[in-house]
């Protein structure tokens, strides 16, 4: 339903009920100050929120003005008279999520004021899957503390939460935009209860402290189901726990949403339009390779093709694709799963990672027998992917006949648009970026973030990719057959118009999307290796 239809329906409700329309919920004091008069579960269920209290009258906004039972419950809970107004359900939901979301530094203050409860109270676990974490009702200090940490990390768009035991307690760090940030230090008394709480939620063995364990759990935050991948490992002062946050709503579907330059986007779309061959995406862990593969698959997914994937693990579930998770406990490896996938009449296959010769050989044979194959490798640049496959034992002639192209990528942090400022770069910056030959340095503007509340004073908000796309052209194929040397392969690709990671980073820096420091952090060493 579009906004015009929504407004018309609200007008109709107002006319029929005689209740006034409230157009701006965030204008009211209770919303501004995050004063939560109504319980979260009630406000969410009834789609109503308290706006203000004037002269003993509580003003509320509600989506359904005919919900008389709800109004009576508010009167009973608050002991005040109630004056209702109408607002759209979407605006009420937005106000609820804002109002009930924990305040800045609330977790830190709670940790400082926390008096450790008795052991019986601490281990009073419940089934967290049944509750929304924004509903703050909990009698257990450890449950409340863990909920607050998870909500804080989620609110800061963290991708991982690290619980790291040290001699004096438990360090909590969040990975935000690819960078770890220390957030809290929790007393040693809370270390075991928090670890045990996480294990119970993830259905891990709470009695096992000597071996690493992996698990998954699903929680509800603000009405959204969020998946978590859990990893525990024993270290000197206890068990180290990492929670990977997998928010399905953040999955990017579509290559045009990844921030690729026009040349890279056109090249990738040309690659994925092929009927057979191998397309590789390379980069270190956490560089967004899987996201790129999902985005590519989403563009070619249709009822006319059978897409099958094998991943370790399946991070996001996508419609219209058969996704298989590697399970070493039952000997379901990439190679074994891939062999069985080939018996399922696939058109397109995505392999989470080529780790060994067996997987590489099956992938190549699949590509040579009419399948389009996508996969990833952990290499520094595009040319090194070919060298890596040769080192695994793949014949040169098989690579030259099966490989379509290689995309290398890194993630850099984006400048916060709220505190972005321009400046004239110094000579050393230009030299590091190999831009020292610029005649008029004063005419060049670089950008950075000063730091503000919206970016938690980091100067950055979000990430984008920088890319290096190497098509396997006739010259590249000839070079592979002659010698799979990464320097020669890279040199030929640059001569044919390939833009390196450093080139792409410089271009995005000059557009004001990222900073010198970010580009040099991920691309300068690579460029030095190629000199």
């Amino acid at each position: 339903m579009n906004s015009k239809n929504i407004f018309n329906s609200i007008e109709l409700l107002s006319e029929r009920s005689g209740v006034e329309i409230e157009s701006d919920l965030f204008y009211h004091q209770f919303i501004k100050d995050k004063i939560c008069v109504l319980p979260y579960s009630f406000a969410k269920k009834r789609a109503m929120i308290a706006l203000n209290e004037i002269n003993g009258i509580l003003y509320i906004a509600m989506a359904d003005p005919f919900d008389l039972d709800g109004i009576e419950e508010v009167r009973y809970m608050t002991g005040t008279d109630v004056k209702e107004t109408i607002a759209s359900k979407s605006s009420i939901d937005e106000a609820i999520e804002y109002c009930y979301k924990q305040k800045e530094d609330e977790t830190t203050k709670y940790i400082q004021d926390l008096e450790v409860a008795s052991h019986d109270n601490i281990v009073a676990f419940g089934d967290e899957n049944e509750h929304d974490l924004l509903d703050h009702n909990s009698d257990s200090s450890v449950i409340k503390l863990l909920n607050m940490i998870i909500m804080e990390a989620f609110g800061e768009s963290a991708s991982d939460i690290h619980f790291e035991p040290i001699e004096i307690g438990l360090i909590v760090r969040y990975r935000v935009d690819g960078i770890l940030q220390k957030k809290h230090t929790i007393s040693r008394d809370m270390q075991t209860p928090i670890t045990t709480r996480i294990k119970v939620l993830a259905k891990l063995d709470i009695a096992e402290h000597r071996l690493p364990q992996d698990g998954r759990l699903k929680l509800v935050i603000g009405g959204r189901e969020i998946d978590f991948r859990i990893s525990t490992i024993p270290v000197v002062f206890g068990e180290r726990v990492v929670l990977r946050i997998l928010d399905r709503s953040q999955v990017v579907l579509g290559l045009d949403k990844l921030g690729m330059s026009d040349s890279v986007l056109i090249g990738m779309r040309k690659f994925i339009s092929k009927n057979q061959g191998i397309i590789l995406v390379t980069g270190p862990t956490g560089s967004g390779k899987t996201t790129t593969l999902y985005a590519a698959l989403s563009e070619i997914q249709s009822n006319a093709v059978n897409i099958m994937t094998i991943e370790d693990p399946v991070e996001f579930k996508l419609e219209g694709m058969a996704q298989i998770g590697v399970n070493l406990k039952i000997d379901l490896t990439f190679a074994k799963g891939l062999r069985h996938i080939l018996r399922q009449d696939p058109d397109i296959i995505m392999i989470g990672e080529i780790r060994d010769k067996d997987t590489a050989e099956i992938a190549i044979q699949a590509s040579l027998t009419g399948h389009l194959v996508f996969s990833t490798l952990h290499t520094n640049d595009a040319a090194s992917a070919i060298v890596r496959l040769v080192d695994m034992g793949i014949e040169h002639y098989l690579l030259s006949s099966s490989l379509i192209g290689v995309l290398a990528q890194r993630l850099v942090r984006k400048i916060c648009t709220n505190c972005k400022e321009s400046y004239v770069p110094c000579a050393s910056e230009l030299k590091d970026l190999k831009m020292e030959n610029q005649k008029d340095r004063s005419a060049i503007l670089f950008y950075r973030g000063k730091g503000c509340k919206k970016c938690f004073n980091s100067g950055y908000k979000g990430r984008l990719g920088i890319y290096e796309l190497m098509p396997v052209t006739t010259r590249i194929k000839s070079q592979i057959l002659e010698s799979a040397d990464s320097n020669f392969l890279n040199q030929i690709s640059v001569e044919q118009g390939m833009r390196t990671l450093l080139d792409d980073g410089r271009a995005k820096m000059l557009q004001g999307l990222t900073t010198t420091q970010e580009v040099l952090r991920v691309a300068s060493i690579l460029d030095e290796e190629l000199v």
Side-chain angles (χ1 to χ4, degrees):
M1 185 182 291
N2 60 39
S3 58
K4 185 176 179 180
N5 290 337
I6 291 172
F7 185 73
N8 287 340
S9 63
I10 291 175
E11 275 194 324
L12 188 60
L13 277 173
S14 175
E15 185 179 330
R16 289 180 176 178
S17 63
V19 178
E20 295 180 359
I21 296 172
E22 181 53 64
S23 57
D24 185 4
L25 301 183
F26 287 83
Y27 168 79
H28 294 276
Q29 202 63 42
F30 281 8
I31 309 297
K32 285 181 181 178
D33 296 341
K34 293 190 172 186
I35 298 173
C36 307
V37 174
L38 307 176
Y40 174 80
S41 55
F42 176 84
K44 195 75 175 173
K45 180 181 177 181
R46 294 287 190 178
M48 60 173 62
I49 189 167
L51 302 177
N52 213 335
E53 185 175 348
I54 302 173
N55 296 328
I57 299 175
L58 181 68
Y59 288 81
I60 65 169
M62 57 194 307
D64 180 9
F66 297 105
D67 183 8
L68 302 181
D69 290 340
I71 295 171
E72 283 303 314
E73 284 191 58
V74 174
R75 286 196 180 101
Y76 177 78
M77 282 188 289
T78 62
T80 61
D81 289 332
V82 175
K83 174 72 173 178
E84 65 270 23
T85 57
I86 300 176
S88 67
K89 187 176 185 302
S90 60
S91 63
I92 291 174
D93 285 340
E94 184 182 355
I96 288 172
E97 301 314 317
Y98 172 80
C99 196
Y100 287 79
K101 182 179 176 181
Q102 65 188 40
K103 299 174 184 177
E104 189 177 352
D105 297 330
E106 186 176 344
T107 305
T108 302
K109 291 174 183 175
Y110 181 75
I111 291 171
Q112 291 172 349
D113 297 339
L114 185 63
E115 293 182 3
V116 179
S118 67
H119 182 72
D120 290 340
N121 187 39
I122 284 175
V123 296
F125 300 111
D127 184 0
E128 202 66 31
N129 293 332
E130 297 178 0
H131 305 285
D132 194 310
L133 293 194
L134 288 184
D135 191 350
H136 299 292
N137 296 325
S138 173
D139 295 328
S140 169
S141 56
V142 70
I143 292 176
K144 184 175 181 180
L145 176 57
L146 183 59
N147 288 356
M148 292 175 76
I149 289 171
I150 291 173
M151 286 189 294
E152 182 181 61
F154 182 76
E156 294 186 16
S157 301
S159 61
D160 301 85
I161 308 172
H162 291 239
F163 295 90
E164 305 168 5
I166 59 174
E167 189 171 6
I168 62 169
L170 192 67
I171 299 294
V172 181
R173 295 197 291 172
Y174 304 157
R175 188 176 294 280
V176 180
D177 294 334
I179 305 296
L180 275 173
Q181 302 175 2
K182 181 180 174 182
K183 301 298 292 188
H184 308 291
T185 302
I186 300 172
S187 70
R188 191 165 179 80
D189 294 332
M190 294 294 287
Q191 178 182 325
T192 300
I194 285 178
T195 303
T196 305
R197 170 67 176 161
I198 294 170
K199 283 184 172 182
V200 168
L201 288 173
K203 296 180 174 60
L204 301 179
D205 185 355
I206 62 173
E208 180 56 73
H209 306 289
R210 302 165 299 168
L211 295 173
Q213 296 188 68
D214 295 307
R216 296 178 77 98
L217 67 94
K218 184 181 293 183
L219 300 176
V220 179
I221 303 178
R224 292 158 58 184
E225 286 190 350
I226 309 297
D227 291 318
F228 292 80
R229 198 170 76 212
I230 315 299
S231 173
T232 72
I233 192 167
V235 293
V236 175
F237 294 109
E239 286 185 274
R240 193 178 191 279
V241 183
V242 176
L243 279 66
R244 166 65 60 89
I245 302 172
L246 305 171
D247 185 1
R248 294 182 215 173
S249 66
Q250 299 301 313
V251 180
V252 177
L253 298 179
L255 292 171
D256 57 337
K257 297 180 176 65
L258 297 177
M260 293 178 174
S261 64
D262 290 342
S263 60
V264 173
L265 183 59
I266 291 169
M268 273 298 289
R269 283 180 167 159
K270 185 177 179 181
F271 287 176
I272 66 178
S273 67
K274 304 286 186 183
N275 292 323
Q276 65 181 61
I278 296 181
I279 300 167
L280 294 175
V281 179
T282 76
T285 301
S287 59
K289 299 186 297 297
T290 302
T291 299
T292 298
L293 290 180
Y294 282 161
L297 291 175
S298 71
E299 291 211 354
I300 53 179
Q301 191 273 328
S302 73
N303 291 327
V305 295
N306 178 18
I307 301 176
M308 302 192 72
T309 78
I310 180 160
E311 307 167 56
D312 183 21
V314 177
E315 293 193 2
F316 299 101
K317 297 176 179 64
L318 304 176
E319 291 185 8
M321 303 177 199
Q323 295 173 273
I324 301 167
V326 167
N327 190 339
L328 299 180
K329 292 179 181 177
I330 58 173
D331 196 30
L332 178 55
T333 62
F334 276 113
K336 183 173 285 188
L338 188 50
R339 286 190 184 96
H340 288 280
I341 283 176
L342 290 172
R343 298 170 191 163
Q344 292 280 315
D345 186 32
D347 299 295
I348 299 165
I349 301 168
M350 193 269 268
I351 307 166
E353 181 186 347
I354 294 178
R355 296 177 179 172
D356 51 51
K357 183 181 178 181
D358 285 348
T359 307
E361 285 180 338
I362 300 168
I364 286 173
Q365 290 300 326
S367 70
L368 293 172
T369 53
H371 302 89
L372 183 62
V373 179
F374 295 82
S375 192
T376 70
L377 277 174
H378 287 96
T379 61
N380 285 334
D381 58 16
S384 297
I386 295 171
V387 179
R388 174 73 185 281
L389 290 171
V390 170
D391 289 343
M392 284 184 184
I394 305 302
E395 296 292 343
H396 293 236
Y397 72 91
L398 289 174
L399 278 176
S400 65
S401 57
S402 62
L403 198 57
I404 297 172
V406 185
L407 177 75
Q409 67 178 70
R410 296 289 189 280
L411 290 177
V412 293
R413 291 183 290 173
K414 293 166 62 177
I415 298 172
C416 173
T417 55
N418 190 59
C419 60
K420 180 177 174 180
E421 65 175 6
S422 62
Y423 69 99
V424 176
C426 62
S428 61
E429 277 186 281
L430 294 174
K431 184 178 179 181
D432 290 338
L433 291 163
K434 304 190 184 304
M435 297 173 64
E436 64 268 31
N437 294 328
Q438 297 289 331
K439 293 180 180 179
D440 186 3
R441 182 164 61 87
S442 62
I444 302 174
L445 284 181
F446 286 2
Y447 299 86
R448 62 193 171 198
K450 292 185 292 185
C452 63
K453 279 192 173 182
K454 286 192 175 181
C455 63
F456 303 100
N457 295 313
S458 68
Y460 299 97
K461 189 71 175 175
R463 290 190 290 176
L464 78 157
I466 60 173
Y467 302 93
E468 174 180 289
L469 186 67
M470 187 185 79
V472 179
T473 61
T474 303
R475 281 188 67 191
I476 294 290
K477 289 180 180 181
S478 299
Q479 181 59 48
I480 293 172
L481 291 171
E482 182 181 334
S483 170
D485 183 278
S486 61
N487 288 329
F488 287 146
L489 291 169
N490 187 77
Q491 184 179 338
I492 292 170
S493 298
V494 171
E495 289 173 359
Q496 293 181 333
M498 182 185 78
R499 187 157 72 169
T500 66
L501 287 165
L502 184 59
D503 293 334
D504 197 34
R506 275 194 298 246
K508 284 168 179 170
M509 185 192 65
L510 292 171
Q511 293 171 32
L513 299 175
T514 189
T515 64
T516 305
Q517 291 75 18
E518 281 297 290
V519 173
L520 294 176
R521 179 174 66 87
V522 301
S524 61
I525 296 176
L526 299 176
D527 195 67
E528 289 170 7
E529 290 175 351
L530 300 172
V531 175

